[in-house]
Amino acid sequence: MSRIRVSTALVLFVLVTPLMAKSHIPKKHTHAAIKTYVQQAATFVAKKGADCAALNEADWSSGDYYIFVMGPDDKTLCHPTLVNAPASSIVDANGKKVGDLLVEAAKKKGGGWVEYVWPRPNTTNPVPKSSYAVRVKGPDGKWYVVGSGGYELK
């Protein structure tokens, strides 16, 4: 009888533990929620480096929300579609140099916001987007830009 209880407990542990993993995805569609999301990701990058595979997992990435990371050379390391893109090549539909502006915003004390237009994932129509970026030193001693954004934030 005790073997059955132990087996049942083990099966429940294996099934429930992934569900208990802390999701970092913003719960509200606000500037404050995005800023908290980016700060959590910056802490992660400071400890573990630009682990794009981990940042692409469900506890960090879902729907419109994802974390982007730019390396010390200002090239995108982590992003759903812009991997290896130099910051200078990231421009919105209105010609705004979004990549360069994000790098500059990240260098400000406490990070900064950039407002621009960008299509939602899997669409082509640009809509207003606000992104927050911070600069963080990774475990390798190099500086990274960590950020995220939200479409039509409240």
Side-chain angles (χ1 to χ4, degrees):
M1 181 83 161
S2 67
R3 285 180 84 176
I4 293 172
R5 286 184 191 163
V6 170
S7 295
T8 302
L10 183 59
V11 168
L12 286 173
F13 177 79
V14 169
L15 293 175
V16 173
T17 300
L19 299 175
M20 293 171 49
K22 181 180 181 196
S23 173
H24 300 280
I25 305 298
K27 308 230 180 328
K28 295 182 179 178
H29 198 62
T30 64
H31 285 85
I34 295 292
K35 187 173 181 179
T36 298
Y37 178 47
V38 171
Q39 289 168 333
Q40 291 171 351
T43 299
F44 175 87
V45 171
K47 290 180 184 174
K48 300 196 179 205
D51 183 347
C52 300
L55 292 171
N56 197 35
E57 290 179 7
D59 54 335
W60 285 105
S61 178
S62 178
D64 288 350
Y65 297 112
Y66 58 86
I67 296 294
F68 65 81
V69 179
M70 292 184 189
D73 60 357
D74 291 341
K75 285 188 179 178
T76 307
L77 299 173
C78 306
H79 190 279
T81 59
L82 298 173
V83 175
N84 292 321
S88 61
S89 73
I90 303 170
V91 180
D92 79 358
N94 297 328
K96 196 171 205 177
K97 296 184 178 211
V98 176
D100 288 340
L101 291 170
L102 286 166
V103 170
E104 289 307 310
K107 290 178 182 177
K108 294 177 184 174
K109 184 175 179 165
W113 289 94
V114 176
E115 307 292 326
Y116 55 103
V117 294
W118 203 261
R120 290 180 190 276
N122 303 314
T123 70
T124 57
N125 184 36
V127 295
K129 185 171 185 178
S130 303
S131 288
Y132 179 74
V134 296
R135 194 167 169 238
V136 62
K137 188 183 279 191
D140 59 1
K142 296 178 182 176
W143 289 95
Y144 295 86
V145 170
V146 179
S148 187
Y151 298 90
E152 303 170 302
L153 293 178
K154 297 174 188 170

